[in-house]
């Protein structure tokens, strides 16, 4: 591993670790996340899942780390669990999802984010916006299903633009009783 990459990984790990203990104590759970039986157990489980995520980050196991951060967030929503899930998505090159997660972070915790951390998040959002685009699907047959890169999109046509990573994508539009249409599109 190169020295610059090692420094970057140390910076990422620092960003993941630095605010967690205080943030976990300072955050309050949203009503839908509160356990009817024992909120303290949920909070403790969230902390364990978060720490497991941090360990996985050290091994660059981004998929597994993401799963732990999302589990922690579901049990007891915190700013750092959401931020680390966004960072994990970014490392996995799932830019559309990372951008959505950062936007959720800003919407949910924006007033409580320190200025330096806010700048880091704003910079990440700006970089991600350059790495994503949208596919606008138009069909002369309303009610058509849309599949992009093998993933069926929710809903049917007409639909809102669909966020995708920049690059080439296979788009398929189909409706029962009609011939399907498929094309490669380049999103920049």
């Amino acid at each position: 591993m190169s020295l610059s990459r090692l420094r970057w990984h140390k910076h990422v790990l620092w960003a993941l670790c630095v605010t967690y203990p205080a943030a976990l104590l300072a955050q309050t759970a949203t009503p839908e996340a509160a356990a009817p039986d024992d909120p303290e157990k949920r909070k403790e489980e969230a902390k364990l899942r978060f720490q497991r995520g941090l360990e996985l980050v050290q091994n660059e196991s981004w998929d597994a780390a993401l799963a732990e951060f999302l589990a922690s967030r579901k049990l007891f929503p915190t700013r750092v669990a959401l931020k680390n899930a966004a960072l994990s998505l970014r490392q996995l090159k799932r830019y559309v999802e990372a951008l959505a997660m950062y936007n959720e972070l800003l919407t949910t915790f924006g007033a409580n984010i320190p200025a330096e951390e806010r700048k880091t998040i704003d910079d990440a959002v700006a970089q991600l916006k350059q790495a994503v685009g949208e596919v606008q699907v138009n069909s002369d047959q309303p009610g058509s299903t849309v599949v992009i890169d093998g993933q069926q999109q929710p809903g049917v046509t007409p639909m809102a633009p669909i966020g995708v990573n920049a690059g080439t994508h296979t788009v398929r539009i189909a409706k029962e009783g009609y011939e399907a249409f498929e094309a490669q599109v380049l999103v920049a």
Side-chain angles (χ1 to χ4, degrees), residues 76-169:
F76 190 83
T78 63
R79 182 181 85 236
V80 293
L82 193 54
K83 183 174 91 174
N84 292 342
L87 179 62
S88 296
L89 286 165
R90 191 172 176 196
Q91 292 300 311
L92 292 165
K93 297 181 180 9
R94 292 166 56 180
Y95 300 133
V96 172
E97 294 169 90
L99 184 58
M101 187 92 33
Y102 276 120
N103 285 329
E104 181 183 337
L105 173 64
L106 292 172
T107 300
T108 307
F109 296 105
N112 299 323
I113 298 174
E116 185 176 321
E117 184 178 341
R118 176 64 187 243
K119 182 181 178 339
T120 302
I121 293 167
D122 288 342
D123 291 346
V125 167
Q127 289 175 353
L128 286 167
K129 283 182 178 179
Q130 294 177 2
V132 300
E134 293 180 331
V135 173
Q136 176 67 56
V137 178
N138 296 311
S139 170
D140 59 1
Q141 293 301 317
S144 298
T145 59
V146 177
V147 177
I148 298 179
D149 298 330
Q151 298 293 316
Q152 184 167 336
Q153 302 302 302
V156 293
T157 60
M159 60 178 42
I162 303 161
V164 295
N165 288 349
T168 303
H169 300 276

Side-chain angles (χ1 to χ4, degrees), residues 14-68:
W14 177 84
L16 291 170
C17 295
V18 72
T19 56
Y20 180 71
L24 183 59
L25 296 174
Q27 301 294 328
T28 58
T30 59
E32 59 271 10
D37 53 346
D38 193 354
E40 286 304 312
K41 284 185 180 180
R42 289 179 68 93
K43 186 176 178 180
E44 187 58 35
E45 176 66 18
K47 183 178 179 181
L48 291 172
R49 301 295 295 264
F50 184 89
Q51 290 170 337
R52 202 173 308 145
L54 292 177
E55 291 169 9
L56 291 161
V57 165
Q58 288 180 332
N59 295 324
E60 297 184 36
S61 298
W62 295 106
D63 259 339
L66 173 62
E68 294 298 333

